[in-house]
C-alpha cells in the first residue's frame, strides 16, 4: 500500500523515456484512495514527460507532452477499488497513443513527450516529494511495443480473473463484462 504521508515510491532502472522507447505499453492494476493529486507511475522531470496522474487541476490521465490528456470519468474511479489501465505511447504518431480502462478504450491522443528522468518511478510521477500515490498498485506490466488486440484482450482477462475484477472489466470491449461474457477475450475463430 502506498501512503503519500510516507513519501515512498519505487524506482526502477527501466528507462521509459521517449528517446529510449518510442513505443511502450504499461499495464497497471491499481486503485486510488485520495482526491488529492496522485501519481501512479512516471518519469517526469517537470517537462510533461510520460506519466499517469489523477486529480490534477488539468484532469486525470496520461501526459501528452504539453499537459494531461484528461479523461473526464477517470476520477469517478477514486475510492472504487482496483482498476486496470492499459496505457500505450507511440511518440509523435497522430492519435497513436491511448488508454484503455477496464478493457474499454477511453481516449486516443498524440503524444509529444520530452525527455524525462531515466528512472521508472512507481507510486509517483517524479523523484520529488509531490504527486505521491495514495492506494494500492497491485501489478505493473511493461512492454517495449504495442500489444495487438488479441494480446490486449488476453492480458486484460487474465488480470481481471487474477484480481477478481470480472464484474467490472470488459476485456474485449464488446459491452459485456467478463463475468457474463461467454467469450471474454473476443470471438473464437476455428
Amino acid at each position: 500500500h502506498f501512503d503519500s504521508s510516507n513519501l515512498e515510491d519505487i524506482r526502477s532502472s527501466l528507462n521509459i523515456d521517449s528517446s529510449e522507447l518510442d513505443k511502450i505499453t504499461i499495464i497497471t492494476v491499481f486503485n486510488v484512495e485520495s482526491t488529492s493529486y496522485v501519481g501512479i507511475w512516471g518519469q517526469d522531470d517537470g517537462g510533461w514527460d510520460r506519466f499517469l496522474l489523477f486529480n490534477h487541476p488539468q484532469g486525470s490521465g496520461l501526459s501528452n507532452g504539453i499537459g494531461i490528456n484528461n479523461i473526464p470519468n477517470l476520477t469517478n474511479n477514486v475510492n472504487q477499488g482496483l482498476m486496470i489501465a492499459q496505457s500505450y505511447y507511440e511518440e509523435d504518431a497522430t492519435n497513436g497513443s491511448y488508454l484503455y480502462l477496464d478493457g474499454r478504450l477511453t481516449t486516443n491522443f498524440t503524444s509529444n513527450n520530452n525527455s524525462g528522468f531515466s528512472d521508472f518511478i512507481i507510486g509517483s510521477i517524479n523523484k520529488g516529494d509531490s504527486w505521491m500515490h495514495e492506494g494500492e498498485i497491485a501489478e505493473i506490466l511493461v512492454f517495449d511495443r504495442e500489444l495487438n488486440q488479441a494480446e490486449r484482450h488476453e492480458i486484460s482477462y487474465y488480470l481481471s480473473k487474477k484480481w477478481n475484477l470480472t464484474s467490472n472489466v470488459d476485456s474485449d470491449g464488446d459491452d459485456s463484462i467478463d463475468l457474463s461474457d461467454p467469450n471474454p477475450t473476443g470471438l473464437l475463430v476455428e
Side-chain angles (χ1 to χ4, degrees):
H1 185 269
F2 286 86
D3 180 349
S4 60
S5 65
N6 292 335
L7 302 177
E8 294 176 326
D9 58 41
I10 298 171
R11 296 177 189 188
S12 166
S13 61
L14 175 67
N15 190 346
I16 66 166
D17 191 86
S18 60
S19 65
E20 294 291 320
L21 292 170
D22 186 52
K23 298 177 182 180
I24 188 167
T25 300
I26 301 173
I27 301 173
T28 316
V29 180
F30 67 102
N31 71 2
V32 175
E33 298 173 353
S34 174
T35 55
S36 297
Y37 310 156
V38 293
I40 311 306
W41 54 259
Q43 48 86 250
D44 185 51
D45 66 0
W48 296 102
D49 309 301
R50 291 175 170 174
F51 58 76
L52 176 57
L53 181 67
F54 270 69
N55 305 319
H56 186 275
Q58 285 190 17
S60 296
L62 296 170
S63 167
N64 60 19
I66 58 171
I68 295 173
N69 192 63
N70 184 39
I71 302 163
N73 293 331
L74 199 54
T75 54
N76 294 345
N77 291 297
V78 172
N79 293 313
Q80 298 299 311
L82 290 175
M83 63 191 104
I84 302 171
Q86 296 184 11
S87 311
Y88 174 69
Y89 279 103
E90 182 171 352
E91 205 62 24
D92 297 320
T94 303
N95 288 323
S97 300
Y98 51 78
L99 178 91
Y100 280 81
L101 184 65
D102 290 334
R104 297 165 191 91
L105 180 63
T106 59
T107 188
N108 286 80
F109 61 98
T110 303
S111 169
N112 184 13
N113 296 90
N114 300 312
S115 292
F117 291 121
S118 59
D119 293 340
F120 179 45
I121 301 158
I122 301 166
S124 182
I125 65 167
N126 60 31
K127 294 180 180 181
D129 293 339
S130 58
W131 316 105
M132 303 301 291
H133 184 55
E134 183 78 34
E136 302 289 335
I137 298 178
E139 189 162 348
I140 294 183
L141 304 170
V142 180
F143 300 87
D144 62 354
R145 62 184 176 83
E146 181 176 19
L147 300 178
N148 66 39
Q149 181 177 338
E151 291 170 324
R152 234 183 26 258
H153 293 176
E154 289 287 335
I155 292 169
S156 183
Y157 183 56
Y158 165 77
L159 292 171
S160 78
K161 287 191 317 183
K162 179 178 179 179
W163 296 103
N164 196 27
L165 299 172
T166 57
S167 61
N168 297 331
V169 175
D170 176 15
S171 291
D172 60 2
D174 66 354
D175 293 326
S176 180
I177 60 170
D178 292 353
L179 183 65
S180 59
D181 191 340
N183 300 305
T185 60
L187 294 175
L188 301 176
V189 179
E190 295 185 29

